[in-house]
Amino acid sequence: MPPEFFLDRNLGRRVAEGLRACGWTVHRIGDVFPDDAQDIADEDWIAHGLDQSWVPISKDGRIKSRDLEIRPVLEREAVLFYLDNQQLPSAEMIGRFDAHREAIHRAVARGGPAAYAVRRDRVERTWPWRGDRPRPSDRAQRVPAALRRRDASSSTERFLQKAKRTKGAPMSRWS
């Protein structure tokens, strides 16, 4: 059975309708959440879709680099797809997804956690990076292991832990 997909609001109605016309099973975020999900955080719609066994698709590739937003994909060992170009017209977005349908289905079958860019000529895994050397854009891999804290899973959590430890202390030495 082919996978079902959950489309971020940034893809719009036309993309959803076009993919349905091509035989895809897609669910729009606006069909699930009120007010076209304007008040729904990315991590919440992604988690909801994954809980329904729907594969999230967005055109915001930055999701993979935001700890809170990628967390549902990591926790559920799922996959997420995004377009590598946010400026494409709807018809080109539809064509790009449909041209790579087989590769997308294979990536879903492989499982995750993983994020894939849907490019003009291929579908490429972009998170987590599994190369023999760190990518320049991957901040987490540029931090030496000796400097990483083992008790926190993200920079946000480390910041909050530090704030708790220094409660009542000035935020900076100049305040």
Side-chain angles (χ1 to χ4, degrees), residues 149-169:
R149 297 202 38 151
R150 302 251 187 259
D151 59 339
S153 62
S154 72
S155 58
T156 304
E157 291 176 61
R158 288 192 299 274
F159 173 80
L160 293 174
Q161 287 178 354
K162 184 176 181 183
K164 285 179 187 175
R165 285 194 306 268
T166 60
K167 193 168 188 166

Side-chain angles (χ1 to χ4, degrees), residues 5 9 25 28 36 42 52-53 56-57 61 68 78 80 88 91 97 137 141 144-145 156-157 169 174:
F5 297 90
R9 86 179 133 265
T25 303
R28 285 186 56 250
D36 204 29
D42 284 338
Q52 307 302 314
S53 299
I57 297 180
L68 283 175
L80 172 138
L88 298 174
F97 283 125
S137 63
Q141 290 188 7
T156 304
E157 291 176 61
W174 296 284

Side-chain angles (χ1 to χ4, degrees), residues 11 64 70 80 100 138:
L11 290 168
K64 72 182 184 312
I70 200 65
L80 172 138
H100 298 300
D138 192 349

